[in-house]
Amino acid sequence: MKKSLIVLLSVLLLWGTAEARIDVFYLPESGFLRVSGEVVIEPEAASVSFLIFPTAHLTEFWADGLVEYSVQRYPHSTAVSFAVREVQTQTVTFAYEGLVEAQLREAVLGPDQLWLPQFTVPVQTSTVALQLPENWEVVAGDIQAVEKQGAFQTIQLEPSSLYPTVELANTAEAPEPAEAGTDEAEPILPLEDQEPEPEREESAELDELGARIQIQINRFTRALNNRSLADLTELISADLQQEGLADYLASLPQYFGRISSAVLEVPADPNGAYVVLFSTERGTHYTAVMAWQETAGSLQLHEFRLVPQEAEVPPEIAESCAFFVRELQTALRAENRSRLETLLAPDLRQDPSEVMDFLFSLDSTGDWKIEQITLEPFTVTIPVPTAQGAKLLLQLDLTPGQYNWLLRGVQVVPLS
């Protein structure tokens, strides 16, 4: 765990929210409908509300400046009302699910069905992705793309500022009626009286967990951008908090700019590792491995590894860097100031005597292991202890010399 944290700290010091998107999972024949995602709204007052279908159960809800919210049920809708601290652009994250009227042959999703949240304030255009069984197709509606995924298909609608309406049709052949004189067909029970199908029920639970985790990733990105210790602490497990992850992220300097995130890889089991791309305004990109676990009724981050997204370091480069580190340690262990001077570049950015004094203050008795090599700019990151027992993270800026690498600059991050 500490190694993972060290990698995180190193790349953050060398270093917008996710695109508004709504994901919908719909099973017309059973009536199950689940919606999750986020939208950007332009509130005109501190109080905002939106409507969803009447049987919906709100499972996740968040807004940038959320003060409080309430849910009220009516015969034809469910109203979610909330208050924000400031009347300004807000990102609203939500998830809800429930049963709507089952449809065996045709179905319509539009304003009357309230399948998507209907806000009382202006909403910026969002991407809507509708997941359906493979035997259902959109017969009316603006479609941008269709992607097959096993027994399901994901249909991405054309972005629009209008509330989207789609008409669906079941392409599977209808069962033939029983012939006269044959045994009476087994009666079909009403949907509410049928036994739930275990596989479908389990699949729905996994889909729900996956949607909740993607919402948590969005919340994590916003908390990171806000440098909010309270929000980060809520999202990060106790073990990672003890490692100092929440405190460090909350103190991330503002000059790094905003950070955006995009999920690159979703595991088959939502309890597995998600691969997420984090990008900064400075143009650097990092790949994170994130795993989440249910703790006391909420999802918390319990694994986080982050590395720069860049080309693989050639083996000969990695070996030459390891040789430089060994040479550096040899000079420090022997307290050989002259030999150490030969490893310093002529254009060293810092005062040479101060750099050497600092390096001699480190504990060089153990083998130093390179944690990360970054090609552009060319740097080597190493966790090392001091003679007094403190832990530091060294970023060594290297430049080619006549025979080996030379030290052109040192950056230091205290870890404890």
Side-chain angles (χ1 to χ4, degrees):
M1 188 68 69
K2 289 186 177 181
K3 180 179 179 181
S4 301
L5 179 58
I6 287 171
V7 175
L8 165 71
L9 298 178
S10 65
V11 297
L12 280 178
L13 287 175
L14 296 177
W15 10 0
T17 311
E19 177 189 0
R21 175 186 170 95
I22 302 176
D23 292 294
V24 181
F25 179 75
Y26 181 38
L27 301 174
E29 292 164 85
S30 68
F32 180 76
L33 177 63
R34 180 175 56 251
V35 182
S36 62
E38 67 178 27
V39 297
V40 178
I41 64 172
E42 304 286 348
E44 299 162 342
S47 297
V48 185
S49 63
F50 61 88
L51 301 178
I52 52 181
F53 60 92
T55 58
H57 295 276
L58 193 67
T59 56
E60 294 279 351
F61 180 72
W62 189 259
D64 287 340
L66 182 65
V67 176
E68 60 181 357
Y69 76 95
S70 62
V71 179
Q72 187 72 39
R73 293 195 178 279
Y74 299 101
H76 302 292
S77 66
T78 297
V80 180
S81 303
F82 60 99
V84 293
R85 293 186 182 91
E86 299 181 27
V87 181
Q88 61 183 21
T89 301
Q90 301 280 328
T91 299
V92 178
T93 304
F94 53 83
Y96 55 88
E97 62 182 46
L99 291 174
V100 297
E101 185 177 355
Q103 304 293 341
L104 300 181
R105 307 306 305 168
E106 297 178 346
V108 176
L109 296 175
D112 292 339
Q113 289 73 33
L114 288 174
W115 64 304
L116 301 181
Q118 190 173 69
F119 282 84
T120 58
V121 297
V123 180
Q124 295 182 12
T125 302
S126 301
T127 299
V128 177
L130 172 62
Q131 188 174 15
L132 293 169
E134 61 180 347
N135 58 299
W136 284 81
E137 66 177 15
V138 175
V139 294
D142 296 327
I143 297 176
Q144 187 176 63
V146 178
E147 179 183 358
K148 298 289 186 179
Q149 298 174 324
F152 291 86
Q153 57 183 323
T154 298
I155 300 168
Q156 184 166 312
L157 305 184
E158 286 283 355
S160 172
S161 58
L162 302 177
Y163 193 103
T165 298
V166 292
E167 297 179 14
L168 311 172
N170 190 345
T171 59
E173 294 184 3
E176 297 182 2
E179 297 181 4
T182 61
D183 294 338
E184 184 178 350
E186 183 178 347
I188 300 176
L189 296 176
L191 287 174
E192 61 268 19
D193 295 334
Q194 292 183 14
E195 289 291 330
E197 299 179 23
E199 292 185 3
R200 176 174 292 179
E201 196 172 71
E202 181 180 353
S203 175
E205 290 177 359
L206 291 176
D207 288 336
E208 175 189 353
L209 177 59
R212 291 176 61 204
I213 287 175
Q214 297 208 37
I215 288 173
Q216 294 299 84
I217 292 173
N218 292 339
R219 290 183 63 189
F220 177 88
T221 306
R222 287 200 301 276
L224 186 59
N225 276 314
N226 294 333
R227 280 45 168 193
S228 172
L229 178 59
D231 292 344
L232 289 166
T233 300
E234 181 181 346
L235 294 168
I236 294 173
S237 69
D239 288 342
L240 287 181
Q241 289 181 44
Q242 289 178 0
E243 295 286 343
L245 179 58
D247 293 290
Y248 180 81
L249 293 177
S251 63
L252 192 67
Q254 293 292 338
Y255 64 75
F256 289 139
R258 289 190 60 80
I259 302 144
S260 61
S261 65
V263 177
L264 298 181
E265 186 176 320
V266 177
D269 181 356
N271 289 307
Y274 287 71
V275 179
V276 182
L277 175 68
F278 286 94
S279 303
T280 75
E281 287 184 330
R282 300 174 67 182
T284 49
H285 305 279
Y286 303 93
T287 302
V289 176
M290 309 176 76
W292 300 77
Q293 283 186 352
E294 192 90 33
T295 305
S298 65
L299 286 168
Q300 289 189 325
L301 185 68
H302 75 96
E303 181 181 346
F304 190 38
R305 301 192 303 274
L306 194 69
V307 296
Q309 188 188 54
E310 59 179 21
E312 184 177 353
V313 177
E316 58 272 16
I317 297 295
E319 176 54 35
S320 66
C321 290
F323 175 79
F324 172 83
V325 172
R326 289 194 297 269
E327 287 291 294
L328 178 62
Q329 277 200 276
T330 300
L332 295 178
R333 288 169 180 168
E335 298 184 358
N336 190 329
R337 202 173 185 90
S338 298
R339 185 170 184 177
L340 182 58
E341 286 180 343
T342 65
L343 300 177
L344 304 183
D347 57 346
L348 182 66
R349 298 191 184 98
Q350 293 123 326
D351 181 86
S353 61
E354 292 182 358
V355 169
M356 289 193 290
D357 289 342
F358 167 73
L359 292 174
F360 278 121
S361 71
L362 302 176
D363 183 357
S364 58
T365 56
D367 289 335
W368 291 356
K369 301 296 184 183
I370 296 176
E371 188 70 39
Q372 182 66 43
I373 299 175
T374 304
L375 296 179
E376 183 59 41
F378 193 76
T379 57
V380 172
T381 303
I382 310 170
V384 299
T386 67
Q388 293 73 33
K391 296 179 182 178
L392 302 175
L393 196 68
L394 297 187
Q395 178 185 300
L396 307 180
D397 300 333
L398 303 183
T399 188
Q402 185 175 0
Y403 303 106
N404 51 254
W405 296 106
L406 298 177
L407 184 61
R408 193 162 179 256
V410 181
Q411 299 182 48
V412 185
V413 180
L415 296 181
S416 62

